[in-house]
Amino acid sequence: MGEVNRPDVLAEVRAAFDSYEKALVDNDVAAIVDYFWPSEHIVRFGVADHQYGIEEQRRWRAAQPPLPPGRRLHDVVITTFGTDFAVVTCRFDYPGGTVSGRQSQTWVRCAAGWRIVSAHVSEPATTTTGDPTA
């Protein structure tokens, strides 16, 4: 498996994740898609959508409106395994929003740099208490 959380690898993945997040917030569609592995094998599950393969991801992303302003990340956790594999998870929300979304990404070092090979975005269903774990 290799060393877990080598500081140099953590820094590389954090930089890639932060750049991806900036592209997402800026609605830079070409940059967003470029952070995904250019393969028919990528999978992305969204809140109410899913894409299999880079071409579906590219078409879907181009049709999406920009994110609401003020996106905030919480509890970003990056775990690296060796020098070429990482998992990033976080929660996110928007000012005035009532739901905290969840995001997970699997990153792999490719010839072109760190790329997302799998991603999942979800929003928990709220209960009558407002606590999604209740």
Side-chain angles (χ1 to χ4, degrees):
M1 172 172 20
E3 186 178 348
V4 174
N5 287 346
R6 277 182 43 171
D8 58 328
V9 180
L10 277 170
E12 290 175 10
V13 175
R14 182 63 197 231
F17 175 76
D18 288 346
S19 293
Y20 169 82
E21 183 67 19
K22 181 178 181 339
L24 192 62
V25 169
D26 291 348
N27 197 39
D28 184 342
V29 173
I32 295 167
V33 173
D34 192 46
Y35 277 100
F36 282 82
W37 179 36
S39 169
E40 78 253 17
H41 300 293
I42 67 157
V43 176
R44 181 189 172 276
F45 293 130
V47 173
D49 58 86
H50 57 269
Q51 298 86 50
Y52 293 92
I54 193 65
E55 292 309 317
E56 276 189 23
Q57 169 68 359
R58 184 175 279 110
R59 284 190 299 274
W60 179 83
R61 182 58 66 189
Q64 296 311 297
L67 294 177
R71 178 176 160 99
R72 299 175 296 208
L73 298 182
H74 307 280
D75 302 324
V76 175
V77 176
I78 300 172
T79 307
T80 65
F81 301 88
T83 58
D84 301 324
F85 185 85
V87 176
V88 180
T89 59
C90 66
R91 292 180 306 107
F92 63 89
D93 64 14
Y94 300 93
T98 58
V99 175
S100 177
R102 301 172 291 197
Q103 174 178 308
S104 62
Q105 301 166 333
T106 304
W107 290 75
V108 173
R109 184 193 305 272
C110 299
W114 286 96
R115 295 297 182 263
I116 301 165
V117 298
S118 179
H120 192 153
V121 179
S122 63
E123 293 178 351
T126 56
T127 65
T128 54
T129 64
D131 179 356
T133 62

